[in-house]
Amino acid sequence: MEDIELLQNTFDLYMKKGKEAKEKGNFTLAKRNFMLAGETMMKMAKLSQGSLKEARMTRARRIVELSENIDQVKEKKKSEAEDDEVKKWKEAEIPNVHFSDVAGLEDVKKAIKIRMINPVLYPDKYKLYNKKTGGGVLLYGPPGTGKTLIAKAIACEVGAKFYAVKGSDIVSKWVGESEKNINSLFEEANKQDRAIIFIDEMDSLLGKRGNDTHNDKRVNEFLQQIDGFAGRNPNLLLLGATNRPWDVDSAATRSGRFSQKIYIPLPDKKARKFMIEKNMKNVPVDKNFDVDKIVEQTKFYSGADIEELCDRAKDEPLLKAIAEDRVVEVTNKDFDNILKIFPPSVSESELKEFEKYNADVEGLIKKIKKKK
Ligand SMILES: Nc1ncnc2c1ncn2[C@@H]1O[C@H](COP(=O)(O)OP(=O)(O)O)[C@@H](O)[C@H]1O
Ligand SMILES: [Mg+2]
């Protein structure tokens, strides 16, 4: 822990010196300091884990890249890059993914309808019943379970423009400019009739505070942004997603922020069947093709895994169909062959971590309800 703190201070110092030298036009000195800052950030990355590690690596690389081209970087370029981002946000659209495209997760869909969709669609009814509205939702669960998909589907259902940002992107660009950009993102979204701001990889943006002053500063700044915008505009929804909920700072999930946490688990049998059937729709399959068998074979597979499995199972028959110029049907055997070499991407121990975390969250909710 002390190591990180020390590295942090060293990093801040190199960055400060680099910026000062750059302002004075001393590019050689600026370059040296930014290089050292980049190296220090890389050391910090090596001491970190998960998406924070990745974010720090990206940031380190960016700083090194920046320092390499420092004498060519003109102020204009910087503002152009900033404009690019803002332009990207200006092009945000309403996604074309419906709730009915999301397999399974019936409880999740119901909770989201009550919390996010209906308040936007039926504000008068919510007023009549004096229902609380506002505040964001944090979706958490293993990778590939449909978190991004659901976020898009919510936007589609309420007709909201979809503003997606990645925690690691924000962190890696957080060299002075990023706060401004985040501010303009919230402003842009706030201008729309309806908008959703979706923050993926919440853990790398809103990591636990305590032993990393740079992270702490960022978390505080971002939370301020959220407090400034969210809750004031009922048509601006806030959604987050993470594969590492235990790494998210608890201040982020306080009331008015991402106050509801929703677990997105691996697909159950019904959901897997829905996805396999969807993937094999209109595809020539063997007359004895048995979807239920594949459903049984894919117990720990995520939605993204199933998508890939179905796609890869088509490879051999397709190759044969091309070679022999005829229709070659997909069989269960094709699936068996891929299953042998394609294990689920979420390991059992990772899954246990999620189940345990979820049980803790639910246990807490029950406790609070009992107290009342
Ligand atoms: N519940 C689901 N229903 C339908 N498709 C799914 C589901 N879960 C995952 N998928 C498929 O896997 C892909 C990746 O899912 P994604 O939403 O990006 O996962 P996550 O954001 O949880 O990592 C989706 O584009 C979709 O094709
Ligand atoms: Mg995702």
Side-chain angles (χ1 to χ4, degrees):
M1 279 190 199
E2 276 181 355
D3 280 353
I4 285 270
E5 188 74 50
L6 197 67
L7 287 170
Q8 194 90 74
N9 294 339
T10 315
F11 171 80
D12 289 343
L13 191 68
Y14 283 138
M15 285 301 284
K16 190 168 157 252
K17 281 187 174 174
K19 277 181 197 162
E20 279 168 6
K22 192 179 152 205
E23 267 161 31
K24 286 185 189 141
N26 187 344
F27 291 127
T28 323
L29 188 64
K31 191 172 191 159
R32 196 182 310 142
N33 277 293
F34 284 137
M35 279 287 186
L36 289 165
E39 276 172 25
T40 314
M41 181 51 65
M42 197 49 104
K43 281 186 198 156
M44 284 169 68
K46 284 189 182 138
L47 293 174
S48 326
Q49 280 169 356
S51 41
L52 184 59
K53 185 190 192 98
E54 274 165 41
R56 283 184 164 149
M57 300 243 276
T58 315
R59 185 162 182 211
R61 266 185 238 115
R62 263 182 221 258
I63 293 169
V64 171
E65 250 170 52
L66 198 87
S67 72
E68 276 167 354
N69 306 316
I70 192 140
D71 19 14
Q72 294 147 33
V73 180
K74 297 192 186 78
E75 279 308 303
K76 199 168 153 263
K77 252 200 174 164
K78 215 165 84 185
S79 61
E80 268 172 17
E82 209 174 297
D83 286 351
D84 274 357
E85 201 129 278
V86 177
K87 211 158 87 195
K88 193 181 85 195
W89 290 333
K90 286 215 156 80
E91 284 163 9
E93 281 178 2
I94 302 169
N96 190 20
V97 185
H98 295 266
F99 249 34
S100 53
D101 295 319
V102 180
L105 304 175
E106 299 309 328
D107 294 346
V108 170
K109 286 187 202 167
K110 190 175 167 197
I112 283 172
K113 264 197 189 126
I114 292 173
R115 173 68 186 255
M116 304 204 94
I117 295 181
N118 287 345
V120 176
L121 297 183
Y122 313 104
D124 295 347
K125 291 274 186 305
Y126 271 66
K127 233 180 230 154
L128 182 66
Y129 286 85
N130 194 18
K131 273 283 290 179
K132 280 207 183 80
T133 56
V137 170
L138 175 63
L139 308 173
Y140 69 93
T145 46
K147 295 183 286 300
T148 304
L149 193 73
I150 291 176
K152 285 186 179 162
I154 296 170
C156 177
E157 295 293 335
V158 299
K161 284 196 177 169
F162 190 69
Y163 294 82
V165 282
K166 242 198 198 157
S168 59
D169 278 354
I170 299 176
V171 173
S172 60
K173 283 182 206 143
W174 203 278
V175 197
E177 306 309 315
S178 187
E179 299 105 296
K180 259 191 275 167
N181 282 1
I182 289 300
N183 198 14
S184 66
L185 163 69
F186 274 87
E187 269 171 10
E188 188 62 36
N190 200 37
K191 269 192 246 158
Q192 308 302 326
D193 290 340
R194 283 175 190 173
I196 285 192
I197 294 183
F198 175 61
I199 301 162
D200 211 349
E201 300 178 8
M202 278 268 294
D203 49 291
S204 54
L205 179 65
L206 299 174
K208 280 218 161 69
R209 293 176 295 181
N211 47 30
D212 180 338
T213 47
H214 220 88
N215 176 63
D216 296 2
K217 185 164 168 267
R218 191 178 57 228
V219 172
N220 288 332
E221 277 170 4
F222 198 84
L223 293 177
Q224 276 171 18
Q225 297 266 10
I226 292 177
D227 292 342
F229 281 97
R232 298 208 181 144
N233 176 355
N235 291 323
L236 177 62
L237 304 179
L238 210 55
L239 260 179
T242 180
N243 305 331
R244 304 181 61 80
W246 38 82
D247 283 346
V248 176
D249 194 283
S250 57
T253 50
R254 218 176 273 154
S255 129
R257 293 168 180 169
F258 294 89
S259 46
Q260 190 173 4
K261 289 194 250 186
I262 297 184
Y263 181 45
I264 312 293
L266 288 176
D268 60 11
K269 280 188 194 176
K270 218 172 124 195
R272 298 203 296 276
K273 185 163 183 171
F274 176 95
M275 284 188 259
I276 299 165
E277 279 174 347
K278 193 172 168 201
N279 267 285
M280 301 310 285
K281 201 178 161 195
N282 299 330
V283 174
V285 295
D286 180 63
K287 65 177 188 318
N288 295 320
F289 187 68
D290 184 355
V291 175
D292 290 319
K293 186 183 167 209
I294 303 167
V295 170
E296 295 298 331
Q297 288 170 312
T298 48
K299 181 154 180 219
F300 293 112
Y301 285 71
S302 71
D305 288 342
I306 288 177
E307 189 119 300
E308 189 175 342
L309 169 70
C310 292
D311 199 62
R312 283 166 69 171
K314 295 170 191 169
D315 281 347
E316 279 306 316
L318 177 60
L319 278 176
K320 214 167 165 193
I322 294 168
E324 299 171 13
D325 193 19
R326 63 182 181 93
V327 175
V328 179
E329 286 150 350
V330 182
T331 66
N332 279 86
K333 186 92 194 14
D334 294 312
F335 276 82
D336 294 343
N337 289 340
I338 303 300
L339 281 163
K340 261 184 240 153
I341 53 168
F342 178 48
S345 58
V346 185
S347 72
E348 263 190 83
S349 63
E350 279 172 294
L351 193 65
K352 281 217 179 89
E353 250 183 298
F354 281 107
E355 301 290 349
K356 188 179 169 301
Y357 181 85
N358 184 42
D360 287 349
V361 171
E362 286 190 344
L364 198 68
I365 293 169
K366 272 192 200 128
K367 242 191 205 162
I368 293 167
K369 277 193 181 151
K370 248 191 197 162
K371 264 191 189 163
K372 280 179 186 165

Short mmCIF file of all heavy atoms in Angstrom, two decimals, residues 95-144:
data_model
loop_
_atom_site.label_atom_id
_atom_site.label_comp_id
_atom_site.label_asym_id
_atom_site.label_seq_id
_atom_site.Cartn_x
_atom_site.Cartn_y
_atom_site.Cartn_z
N PRO A 95 -30.77 2.94 -29.28
CA PRO A 95 -30.41 1.61 -29.78
C PRO A 95 -31.64 0.84 -30.28
O PRO A 95 -32.77 1.14 -29.89
CB PRO A 95 -29.82 0.90 -28.55
CG PRO A 95 -29.63 1.94 -27.51
CD PRO A 95 -30.57 3.05 -27.82
N ASN A 96 -31.37 -0.14 -31.11
CA ASN A 96 -32.47 -0.94 -31.64
C ASN A 96 -32.44 -2.36 -31.08
O ASN A 96 -32.37 -3.34 -31.79
CB ASN A 96 -32.38 -0.96 -33.17
CG ASN A 96 -33.60 -1.57 -33.81
OD1 ASN A 96 -34.66 -1.63 -33.16
ND2 ASN A 96 -33.48 -2.04 -35.02
N VAL A 97 -32.44 -2.46 -29.76
CA VAL A 97 -32.46 -3.76 -29.09
C VAL A 97 -33.62 -3.75 -28.11
O VAL A 97 -33.69 -2.85 -27.26
CB VAL A 97 -31.17 -3.98 -28.25
CG1 VAL A 97 -31.16 -5.38 -27.67
CG2 VAL A 97 -29.93 -3.72 -29.07
N HIS A 98 -34.53 -4.69 -28.24
CA HIS A 98 -35.70 -4.67 -27.38
C HIS A 98 -35.54 -5.60 -26.19
O HIS A 98 -34.70 -6.50 -26.20
CB HIS A 98 -36.94 -5.04 -28.19
CG HIS A 98 -37.25 -4.01 -29.24
ND1 HIS A 98 -38.13 -2.99 -29.02
CD2 HIS A 98 -36.75 -3.83 -30.49
CE1 HIS A 98 -38.17 -2.22 -30.10
NE2 HIS A 98 -37.34 -2.71 -31.01
N PHE A 99 -36.39 -5.37 -25.18
CA PHE A 99 -36.37 -6.26 -24.02
C PHE A 99 -36.58 -7.71 -24.43
O PHE A 99 -36.04 -8.62 -23.84
CB PHE A 99 -37.47 -5.82 -23.04
CG PHE A 99 -36.92 -5.25 -21.78
CD1 PHE A 99 -35.74 -4.51 -21.80
CD2 PHE A 99 -37.55 -5.45 -20.56
CE1 PHE A 99 -35.21 -3.98 -20.63
CE2 PHE A 99 -37.03 -4.93 -19.39
CZ PHE A 99 -35.86 -4.19 -19.42
N SER A 100 -37.38 -7.89 -25.48
CA SER A 100 -37.67 -9.26 -25.92
C SER A 100 -36.45 -9.94 -26.54
O SER A 100 -36.44 -11.15 -26.70
CB SER A 100 -38.83 -9.25 -26.91
OG SER A 100 -38.54 -8.34 -27.95
N ASP A 101 -35.41 -9.17 -26.85
CA ASP A 101 -34.18 -9.77 -27.36
C ASP A 101 -33.30 -10.31 -26.24
O ASP A 101 -32.33 -11.03 -26.49
CB ASP A 101 -33.35 -8.74 -28.15
CG ASP A 101 -34.08 -8.27 -29.40
OD1 ASP A 101 -34.69 -9.13 -30.07
OD2 ASP A 101 -34.05 -7.07 -29.70
N VAL A 102 -33.60 -9.90 -25.03
CA VAL A 102 -32.79 -10.34 -23.89
C VAL A 102 -33.35 -11.66 -23.36
O VAL A 102 -34.52 -11.73 -22.97
CB VAL A 102 -32.79 -9.27 -22.76
CG1 VAL A 102 -31.95 -9.75 -21.59
CG2 VAL A 102 -32.32 -7.94 -23.28
N ALA A 103 -32.52 -12.69 -23.37
CA ALA A 103 -32.99 -14.02 -22.96
C ALA A 103 -33.05 -14.11 -21.45
O ALA A 103 -32.16 -13.63 -20.75
CB ALA A 103 -32.05 -15.09 -23.51
N GLY A 104 -34.10 -14.75 -20.94
CA GLY A 104 -34.23 -15.01 -19.50
C GLY A 104 -34.28 -13.73 -18.69
O GLY A 104 -34.85 -12.73 -19.12
N LEU A 105 -33.67 -13.79 -17.48
CA LEU A 105 -33.55 -12.62 -16.60
C LEU A 105 -34.90 -11.95 -16.33
O LEU A 105 -34.99 -10.72 -16.29
CB LEU A 105 -32.56 -11.60 -17.19
CG LEU A 105 -31.16 -12.12 -17.52
CD1 LEU A 105 -30.33 -11.04 -18.23
CD2 LEU A 105 -30.43 -12.56 -16.26
N GLU A 106 -35.95 -12.75 -16.13
CA GLU A 106 -37.29 -12.19 -15.95
C GLU A 106 -37.37 -11.27 -14.73
O GLU A 106 -37.96 -10.19 -14.79
CB GLU A 106 -38.34 -13.30 -15.85
CG GLU A 106 -38.44 -14.21 -17.08
CD GLU A 106 -38.58 -13.44 -18.41
OE1 GLU A 106 -39.18 -12.35 -18.41
OE2 GLU A 106 -38.08 -13.94 -19.44
N ASP A 107 -36.77 -11.71 -13.62
CA ASP A 107 -36.81 -10.88 -12.39
C ASP A 107 -36.09 -9.56 -12.61
O ASP A 107 -36.53 -8.51 -12.14
CB ASP A 107 -36.14 -11.62 -11.23
CG ASP A 107 -36.91 -12.86 -10.83
OD1 ASP A 107 -38.07 -13.00 -11.27
OD2 ASP A 107 -36.34 -13.69 -10.08
N VAL A 108 -34.97 -9.66 -13.31
CA VAL A 108 -34.18 -8.46 -13.59
C VAL A 108 -35.00 -7.48 -14.42
O VAL A 108 -35.08 -6.29 -14.12
CB VAL A 108 -32.88 -8.84 -14.33
CG1 VAL A 108 -32.16 -7.59 -14.84
CG2 VAL A 108 -31.96 -9.66 -13.44
N LYS A 109 -35.64 -8.01 -15.45
CA LYS A 109 -36.44 -7.14 -16.32
C LYS A 109 -37.57 -6.47 -15.53
O LYS A 109 -37.85 -5.29 -15.74
CB LYS A 109 -37.05 -7.97 -17.46
CG LYS A 109 -36.04 -8.37 -18.52
CD LYS A 109 -36.78 -9.03 -19.67
CE LYS A 109 -35.88 -9.90 -20.49
NZ LYS A 109 -36.62 -10.78 -21.40
N LYS A 110 -38.19 -7.24 -14.64
CA LYS A 110 -39.28 -6.67 -13.85
C LYS A 110 -38.77 -5.54 -12.95
O LYS A 110 -39.36 -4.46 -12.91
CB LYS A 110 -39.92 -7.78 -13.00
CG LYS A 110 -41.20 -7.33 -12.35
CD LYS A 110 -41.89 -8.46 -11.61
CE LYS A 110 -42.98 -7.87 -10.73
NZ LYS A 110 -43.41 -8.81 -9.69
N ALA A 111 -37.65 -5.79 -12.27
CA ALA A 111 -37.08 -4.77 -11.39
C ALA A 111 -36.73 -3.51 -12.17
O ALA A 111 -36.97 -2.39 -11.70
CB ALA A 111 -35.85 -5.33 -10.69
N ILE A 112 -36.19 -3.71 -13.36
CA ILE A 112 -35.79 -2.57 -14.17
C ILE A 112 -37.00 -1.81 -14.69
O ILE A 112 -37.00 -0.58 -14.75
CB ILE A 112 -34.87 -3.04 -15.33
CG1 ILE A 112 -33.48 -3.32 -14.74
CG2 ILE A 112 -34.79 -2.00 -16.43
CD1 ILE A 112 -32.52 -3.95 -15.70
N LYS A 113 -38.06 -2.54 -15.02
CA LYS A 113 -39.30 -1.87 -15.46
C LYS A 113 -39.81 -0.95 -14.37
O LYS A 113 -40.17 0.20 -14.62
CB LYS A 113 -40.36 -2.91 -15.80
CG LYS A 113 -40.39 -3.21 -17.27
CD LYS A 113 -41.66 -3.90 -17.70
CE LYS A 113 -41.46 -4.34 -19.14
NZ LYS A 113 -41.72 -5.76 -19.35
N ILE A 114 -39.85 -1.49 -13.15
CA ILE A 114 -40.38 -0.71 -12.03
C ILE A 114 -39.50 0.49 -11.74
O ILE A 114 -39.98 1.60 -11.51
CB ILE A 114 -40.49 -1.60 -10.77
CG1 ILE A 114 -41.59 -2.66 -10.98
CG2 ILE A 114 -40.79 -0.76 -9.52
CD1 ILE A 114 -41.67 -3.70 -9.90
N ARG A 115 -38.21 0.25 -11.78
CA ARG A 115 -37.29 1.28 -11.32
C ARG A 115 -36.94 2.32 -12.40
O ARG A 115 -36.82 3.50 -12.12
CB ARG A 115 -36.03 0.57 -10.83
CG ARG A 115 -34.88 1.46 -10.48
CD ARG A 115 -35.21 2.27 -9.23
NE ARG A 115 -34.17 3.22 -8.97
CZ ARG A 115 -33.27 3.11 -8.01
NH1 ARG A 115 -33.32 2.06 -7.22
NH2 ARG A 115 -32.36 4.01 -7.83
N MET A 116 -36.78 1.85 -13.65
CA MET A 116 -36.26 2.77 -14.67
C MET A 116 -37.22 3.09 -15.81
O MET A 116 -37.25 4.22 -16.29
CB MET A 116 -34.97 2.21 -15.27
CG MET A 116 -33.91 1.92 -14.25
SD MET A 116 -32.27 1.96 -14.96
CE MET A 116 -31.76 3.63 -14.65
N ILE A 117 -37.96 2.08 -16.25
CA ILE A 117 -38.76 2.29 -17.46
C ILE A 117 -40.10 2.97 -17.16
O ILE A 117 -40.42 4.01 -17.74
CB ILE A 117 -38.94 0.95 -18.21
CG1 ILE A 117 -37.55 0.48 -18.67
CG2 ILE A 117 -39.90 1.09 -19.37
CD1 ILE A 117 -37.55 -0.80 -19.43
N ASN A 118 -40.85 2.39 -16.24
CA ASN A 118 -42.18 2.95 -15.96
C ASN A 118 -42.16 4.40 -15.45
O ASN A 118 -43.04 5.18 -15.84
CB ASN A 118 -42.95 2.03 -15.00
CG ASN A 118 -43.40 0.77 -15.71
OD1 ASN A 118 -43.39 0.70 -16.94
ND2 ASN A 118 -43.79 -0.25 -14.96
N PRO A 119 -41.22 4.78 -14.60
CA PRO A 119 -41.21 6.19 -14.16
C PRO A 119 -41.09 7.17 -15.33
O PRO A 119 -41.65 8.27 -15.28
CB PRO A 119 -39.97 6.29 -13.27
CG PRO A 119 -39.72 4.92 -12.81
CD PRO A 119 -40.19 4.00 -13.90
N VAL A 120 -40.40 6.74 -16.39
CA VAL A 120 -40.25 7.61 -17.55
C VAL A 120 -41.52 7.57 -18.40
O VAL A 120 -41.99 8.60 -18.89
CB VAL A 120 -39.02 7.19 -18.40
CG1 VAL A 120 -38.92 8.04 -19.65
CG2 VAL A 120 -37.74 7.32 -17.57
N LEU A 121 -42.09 6.37 -18.55
CA LEU A 121 -43.26 6.22 -19.42
C LEU A 121 -44.56 6.69 -18.75
O LEU A 121 -45.45 7.20 -19.41
CB LEU A 121 -43.40 4.77 -19.87
CG LEU A 121 -42.26 4.20 -20.73
CD1 LEU A 121 -42.59 2.77 -21.16
CD2 LEU A 121 -41.98 5.06 -21.96
N TYR A 122 -44.65 6.50 -17.43
CA TYR A 122 -45.89 6.85 -16.71
C TYR A 122 -45.63 7.75 -15.52
O TYR A 122 -45.93 7.38 -14.37
CB TYR A 122 -46.61 5.57 -16.26
CG TYR A 122 -46.72 4.52 -17.34
CD1 TYR A 122 -45.89 3.39 -17.33
CD2 TYR A 122 -47.64 4.65 -18.38
CE1 TYR A 122 -45.96 2.43 -18.33
CE2 TYR A 122 -47.71 3.70 -19.38
CZ TYR A 122 -46.87 2.60 -19.35
OH TYR A 122 -46.94 1.66 -20.34
N PRO A 123 -45.11 8.94 -15.75
CA PRO A 123 -44.75 9.81 -14.61
C PRO A 123 -45.96 10.17 -13.74
O PRO A 123 -45.83 10.26 -12.52
CB PRO A 123 -44.16 11.05 -15.29
CG PRO A 123 -44.57 10.98 -16.72
CD PRO A 123 -44.79 9.55 -17.05
N ASP A 124 -47.14 10.33 -14.37
CA ASP A 124 -48.33 10.72 -13.59
C ASP A 124 -48.71 9.64 -12.58
O ASP A 124 -49.06 9.93 -11.45
CB ASP A 124 -49.52 10.98 -14.52
CG ASP A 124 -49.25 12.18 -15.42
OD1 ASP A 124 -48.29 12.91 -15.11
OD2 ASP A 124 -49.98 12.36 -16.41
N LYS A 125 -48.64 8.39 -13.05
CA LYS A 125 -48.98 7.28 -12.15
C LYS A 125 -48.01 7.23 -10.97
O LYS A 125 -48.40 6.98 -9.84
CB LYS A 125 -48.91 5.96 -12.91
CG LYS A 125 -50.01 5.79 -13.96
CD LYS A 125 -51.26 5.20 -13.32
CE LYS A 125 -52.32 4.88 -14.37
NZ LYS A 125 -52.69 6.01 -15.23
N TYR A 126 -46.75 7.47 -11.27
CA TYR A 126 -45.75 7.43 -10.20
C TYR A 126 -46.00 8.56 -9.19
O TYR A 126 -45.81 8.39 -8.00
CB TYR A 126 -44.32 7.47 -10.76
CG TYR A 126 -43.82 6.07 -11.05
CD1 TYR A 126 -44.41 5.30 -12.05
CD2 TYR A 126 -42.80 5.50 -10.28
CE1 TYR A 126 -44.00 4.01 -12.28
CE2 TYR A 126 -42.38 4.19 -10.51
CZ TYR A 126 -42.98 3.45 -11.52
OH TYR A 126 -42.58 2.16 -11.74
N LYS A 127 -46.47 9.68 -9.70
CA LYS A 127 -46.80 10.79 -8.82
C LYS A 127 -47.98 10.41 -7.93
O LYS A 127 -47.98 10.62 -6.73
CB LYS A 127 -47.13 12.02 -9.67
CG LYS A 127 -46.31 13.24 -9.24
CD LYS A 127 -46.63 14.45 -10.08
CE LYS A 127 -45.35 15.09 -10.61
NZ LYS A 127 -45.60 15.83 -11.85
N LEU A 128 -48.99 9.82 -8.58
CA LEU A 128 -50.22 9.44 -7.86
C LEU A 128 -49.90 8.54 -6.68
O LEU A 128 -50.48 8.66 -5.61
CB LEU A 128 -51.15 8.73 -8.85
CG LEU A 128 -52.52 8.29 -8.33
CD1 LEU A 128 -53.37 9.50 -7.98
CD2 LEU A 128 -53.24 7.44 -9.38
N TYR A 129 -48.99 7.62 -6.89
CA TYR A 129 -48.66 6.67 -5.81
C TYR A 129 -47.49 7.16 -4.95
O TYR A 129 -47.00 6.45 -4.10
CB TYR A 129 -48.33 5.29 -6.40
CG TYR A 129 -49.57 4.57 -6.87
CD1 TYR A 129 -50.10 4.80 -8.14
CD2 TYR A 129 -50.24 3.68 -6.03
CE1 TYR A 129 -51.25 4.18 -8.58
CE2 TYR A 129 -51.40 3.05 -6.45
CZ TYR A 129 -51.89 3.30 -7.73
OH TYR A 129 -53.02 2.67 -8.15
N ASN A 130 -47.06 8.38 -5.24
CA ASN A 130 -45.93 8.97 -4.50
C ASN A 130 -44.73 8.03 -4.47
O ASN A 130 -44.13 7.79 -3.42
CB ASN A 130 -46.39 9.33 -3.08
CG ASN A 130 -45.39 10.24 -2.39
OD1 ASN A 130 -44.55 10.87 -3.07
ND2 ASN A 130 -45.44 10.31 -1.08
N LYS A 131 -44.43 7.45 -5.62
CA LYS A 131 -43.31 6.51 -5.72
C LYS A 131 -42.00 7.26 -5.85
O LYS A 131 -41.92 8.26 -6.56
CB LYS A 131 -43.48 5.61 -6.96
CG LYS A 131 -44.30 4.38 -6.71
CD LYS A 131 -43.54 3.30 -5.98
CE LYS A 131 -42.45 2.65 -6.84
NZ LYS A 131 -41.73 1.62 -6.07
N LYS A 132 -41.01 6.75 -5.19
CA LYS A 132 -39.67 7.36 -5.32
C LYS A 132 -39.10 7.04 -6.70
O LYS A 132 -39.23 5.92 -7.18
CB LYS A 132 -38.74 6.78 -4.27
CG LYS A 132 -38.93 7.38 -2.90
CD LYS A 132 -37.63 7.28 -2.10
CE LYS A 132 -37.80 7.81 -0.70
NZ LYS A 132 -38.45 6.83 0.20
N THR A 133 -38.50 8.05 -7.30
CA THR A 133 -37.83 7.80 -8.59
C THR A 133 -36.43 8.40 -8.55
O THR A 133 -36.05 9.03 -7.57
CB THR A 133 -38.60 8.45 -9.76
OG1 THR A 133 -38.75 9.83 -9.46
CG2 THR A 133 -39.97 7.84 -9.96
N GLY A 134 -35.72 8.20 -9.61
CA GLY A 134 -34.37 8.77 -9.69
C GLY A 134 -33.32 7.84 -9.12
O GLY A 134 -33.62 6.80 -8.52
N GLY A 135 -32.08 8.21 -9.32
CA GLY A 135 -30.98 7.35 -8.87
C GLY A 135 -30.64 6.34 -9.94
O GLY A 135 -31.48 5.97 -10.75
N GLY A 136 -29.42 5.91 -9.93
CA GLY A 136 -28.96 4.99 -10.97
C GLY A 136 -29.02 3.55 -10.52
O GLY A 136 -29.31 3.24 -9.38
N VAL A 137 -28.76 2.68 -11.48
CA VAL A 137 -28.73 1.24 -11.21
C VAL A 137 -27.37 0.69 -11.64
O VAL A 137 -26.84 1.07 -12.68
CB VAL A 137 -29.85 0.52 -11.99
CG1 VAL A 137 -29.68 -0.98 -11.93
CG2 VAL A 137 -31.22 0.92 -11.43
N LEU A 138 -26.82 -0.15 -10.79
CA LEU A 138 -25.55 -0.80 -11.12
C LEU A 138 -25.79 -2.27 -11.43
O LEU A 138 -26.29 -3.03 -10.59
CB LEU A 138 -24.57 -0.68 -9.94
CG LEU A 138 -23.24 -1.41 -10.09
CD1 LEU A 138 -22.43 -0.85 -11.26
CD2 LEU A 138 -22.41 -1.30 -8.81
N LEU A 139 -25.52 -2.66 -12.67
CA LEU A 139 -25.66 -4.05 -13.07
C LEU A 139 -24.33 -4.75 -12.83
O LEU A 139 -23.30 -4.27 -13.25
CB LEU A 139 -26.01 -4.14 -14.56
CG LEU A 139 -27.21 -3.31 -15.04
CD1 LEU A 139 -27.31 -3.38 -16.56
CD2 LEU A 139 -28.50 -3.82 -14.41
N TYR A 140 -24.37 -5.89 -12.13
CA TYR A 140 -23.11 -6.59 -11.92
C TYR A 140 -23.29 -8.09 -12.16
O TYR A 140 -24.38 -8.63 -12.02
CB TYR A 140 -22.56 -6.34 -10.51
CG TYR A 140 -23.36 -6.96 -9.39
CD1 TYR A 140 -23.03 -8.21 -8.89
CD2 TYR A 140 -24.44 -6.29 -8.82
CE1 TYR A 140 -23.76 -8.79 -7.86
CE2 TYR A 140 -25.17 -6.85 -7.80
CZ TYR A 140 -24.83 -8.11 -7.31
OH TYR A 140 -25.55 -8.68 -6.30
N GLY A 141 -22.21 -8.72 -12.55
CA GLY A 141 -22.25 -10.14 -12.82
C GLY A 141 -21.09 -10.54 -13.69
O GLY A 141 -20.31 -9.67 -14.13
N PRO A 142 -20.94 -11.84 -13.97
CA PRO A 142 -19.82 -12.30 -14.80
C PRO A 142 -19.85 -11.66 -16.18
O PRO A 142 -20.90 -11.19 -16.62
CB PRO A 142 -20.07 -13.82 -14.91
CG PRO A 142 -21.07 -14.16 -13.89
CD PRO A 142 -21.85 -12.93 -13.59
N PRO A 143 -18.73 -11.64 -16.88
CA PRO A 143 -18.71 -11.07 -18.23
C PRO A 143 -19.57 -11.88 -19.21
O PRO A 143 -19.73 -13.08 -19.04
CB PRO A 143 -17.23 -11.14 -18.63
CG PRO A 143 -16.58 -12.07 -17.68
CD PRO A 143 -17.40 -12.07 -16.43
N GLY A 144 -20.12 -11.18 -20.17
CA GLY A 144 -20.87 -11.86 -21.24
C GLY A 144 -22.26 -12.31 -20.86
O GLY A 144 -22.85 -13.17 -21.52
#
